[in-house]
Amino acid sequence: MKNKVTIQQIADLTGMSKFAVSRALSGKPGVSASTREMIVRMAGQLGYFKQKDRVPLALARPETGEPVASGEGEPLQGTILVLFQSVRYQNRSSVYWGPIFDGVSARLNECNLNVMTLTEPSGDTIFQLLNPVALKGIITLGMVSTQILLDIKRLGIPVLMIDHVDPALPCDTIYTDNFTSMRELVVKLISQGRRRFQFVGDIYYAHSFQERWLAFRSALEEYGLPHEQNPELISKEDLYKVIPRFLQEEALPEVFVCVNDITATVVLNACSELGISIPAQVGVTGFDNNYPDTLPPLTTVHVDKELLGRRAVDKLLWRIQNPHSQIEKTLIYAEPIFRESV
C-alpha cells in the first residue's frame, strides 16, 4: 500500500523505539501501561488498525467456508457476548447501565439469540473462556481498556460499542446524541433569561462527557455570552471537596449545568448542607434522567437507555450480515425535561 502506516512512523511520532512499538501493538509485555496506551492511540489515529490483521467478519457457510451474502440464509443463531469493563461502575444493577443491558437482553431474546456476560476480564480470561467460532458478536457497555479491545480485536468477530470509542478498534458505535440534547437544554436556559453558568463534571472521563461540554460551550458562544469556567469544576478533582469549597468561596452562577445526574446530586446535596436554596439562589441541571425523585425534582435530559440497548443489537446483527460496509456511529436523540431545580 502506498500510504501504509509503518511501525517506524509510529515510533518516530511517539519517540519510542521500534521494539517498544512492536511489543505494545502486539500486546506483549515489556512496556508500561501508560506507554502502551500512548502508542496504541497514536497508531489508531494514523489508521494503523484499519489496515493490519483484517479478519473477515462475514458469516460463512459451514460446507464451503464462503461468506453468506447480506440478508441471505436462515435467521442468525448463536451467542452474543456483552462485556462490562467494571464490576463497580458498569454492571447490571447500575441505574444507567442496567436498563441498557435489559434492552440488549430483551432484543436478543426476541431474535432467539443467546446472551453471555463478562465483567472485568483479563486478556487471559477472554482467550480461556471464549471460543470465537461459537460467538457471533460482542457488545461492549461503556469504557473498555485499550488492551482489552486489542485482545477482542484478535478474536476477529464483529464488535459494537455503546457509549465508547477507541481508535485501537474501529467498529460501529451507538450513542445518545449528547451534543444536540445538551445544546438544546442550554439554549432553553438562555431563552429563559439565564446568562451566568458553570459546567460541572470531569469532562475527560468519557467521550460522551466531552461532547456535552462542547455542546455547552457551543451554545454560549453562539449567543455571545461571556463565560469564565472554573477549571476545578471540570477536572478530575474530587467533586465532593471541590463543590462545597466553590459554594463558599465563589460567586454563584445562575445555573450549574452538570455532566450527568450523579454529578448534579453532588451539587444538590452540597447546596442543601450549606443552606443554599434551589432554585431561588441557583439552578441545577443533570443529564440521563436517572434520579426522578430528587428534591427538588431535577431538570435533566431523558436518555432512553433500553432503546440504546435494543438498537445496539439491531446494529450488530446488521454488521454481521454486512461485514465490509464502512463503520457507523448511530446517535439517538435524548429529550430535555424541565423540572423544579431551575
Side-chain angles (χ1 to χ4, degrees):
M1 292 176 60
K2 182 179 179 180
N3 297 319
K4 182 177 181 180
V5 180
T6 66
I7 288 179
Q8 184 63 62
Q9 287 177 309
I10 299 170
D12 292 341
L13 287 172
T14 59
M16 298 287 114
S17 67
K18 288 179 65 176
F19 173 81
V21 172
S22 177
R23 297 193 74 81
L25 296 179
S26 63
K28 296 178 180 178
V31 294
S32 68
S34 59
T35 298
R36 185 189 307 278
E37 184 83 8
M38 181 264 292
I39 290 172
V40 167
R41 288 196 175 279
M42 177 59 72
Q45 291 169 11
L46 292 174
Y48 176 82
F49 296 107
K50 295 180 180 179
Q51 70 187 21
K52 188 173 178 62
D53 298 330
R54 299 289 289 181
V55 180
L57 302 182
L59 297 176
R61 294 186 179 89
E63 66 275 13
T64 64
E66 297 176 352
V68 177
S70 174
E72 180 185 350
E74 298 179 356
L76 182 66
Q77 296 180 339
T79 299
I80 302 297
L81 172 69
V82 180
L83 174 63
F84 295 87
Q85 171 70 12
S86 169
V87 70
R88 181 178 181 185
Y89 298 110
Q90 295 159 223
N91 55 62
R92 294 171 65 175
S93 62
S94 163
V95 293
Y96 184 82
W97 297 109
I100 292 178
F101 175 80
D102 291 342
V104 170
S105 180
R107 186 67 180 124
L108 288 174
N109 288 335
E110 291 171 2
C111 297
N112 295 316
L113 288 164
N114 300 318
V115 57
M116 180 171 66
T117 60
L118 190 62
T119 305
E120 289 194 333
S122 67
D124 291 340
T125 302
I126 284 182
F127 289 108
Q128 289 173 4
L129 297 180
L130 303 184
N131 178 0
V133 176
L135 288 178
K136 299 304 180 184
I138 297 176
I139 295 175
T140 70
L141 274 65
M143 295 182 64
V144 180
S145 72
T146 297
Q147 182 56 59
I148 293 298
L149 293 177
L150 288 174
D151 293 332
I152 290 174
K153 183 175 186 289
R154 296 186 186 98
L155 297 176
I157 58 180
V159 179
L160 181 138
M161 296 189 204
I162 300 177
D163 205 23
H164 186 55
V165 64
D166 192 311
L169 181 57
C171 67
D172 296 323
T173 56
I174 187 165
Y175 277 89
T176 295
D177 191 351
N178 295 286
F179 190 94
T180 299
S181 301
M182 174 60 84
R183 193 178 181 286
E184 184 175 322
L185 173 70
V186 177
V187 169
K188 181 69 172 179
L189 293 170
I190 294 171
S191 74
Q192 294 174 349
R194 273 80 172 189
R195 295 295 182 268
R196 293 180 290 106
F197 303 89
Q198 284 292 321
F199 197 85
V200 188
D202 179 4
I203 62 174
Y204 307 102
Y205 177 75
H207 183 73
S208 58
F209 288 7
Q210 294 175 16
E211 290 184 326
R212 295 171 192 180
W213 160 247
L214 291 174
F216 168 79
R217 292 292 304 273
S218 171
L220 297 187
E221 290 174 5
E222 178 174 343
Y223 288 90
L225 298 182
H227 177 64
E228 294 184 6
Q229 176 66 45
N230 183 296
E232 281 192 307
L233 295 179
I234 58 173
S235 70
K236 297 181 180 296
E237 299 295 325
D238 184 356
L239 286 178
Y240 288 95
K241 298 178 180 178
V242 170
I243 295 299
R245 184 168 67 244
F246 178 92
L247 293 174
Q248 293 173 309
E249 298 176 359
E250 304 288 341
L252 290 175
E254 291 178 273
V255 183
F256 285 111
V257 177
C258 300
V259 74
N260 63 2
D261 286 356
I262 295 175
T263 302
T265 59
V266 176
V267 176
L268 290 174
N269 292 336
C271 287
S272 176
E273 291 175 2
L274 293 173
I276 297 173
S277 176
I278 298 173
Q281 291 178 267
V282 64
V284 180
T285 70
F287 201 109
D288 293 334
N289 197 26
N290 287 335
Y291 305 112
D293 298 326
T294 60
L295 292 175
L298 181 64
T299 291
T300 186
V301 177
H302 175 66
V303 175
D304 192 335
K305 306 167 192 67
E306 185 171 341
L307 178 61
L308 275 173
R310 297 178 68 89
R311 292 292 291 118
V313 172
D314 292 340
K315 175 59 67 175
L316 180 63
L317 299 185
W318 184 91
R319 172 58 58 190
I320 292 171
Q321 299 289 349
N322 297 271
H324 303 299
S325 179
Q326 291 286 354
I327 62 174
E328 299 180 2
K329 178 179 181 179
T330 301
L331 300 178
I332 296 180
Y333 174 73
E335 182 178 4
I337 299 175
F338 282 79
R339 301 189 180 115
E340 296 174 18
S341 66
V342 292

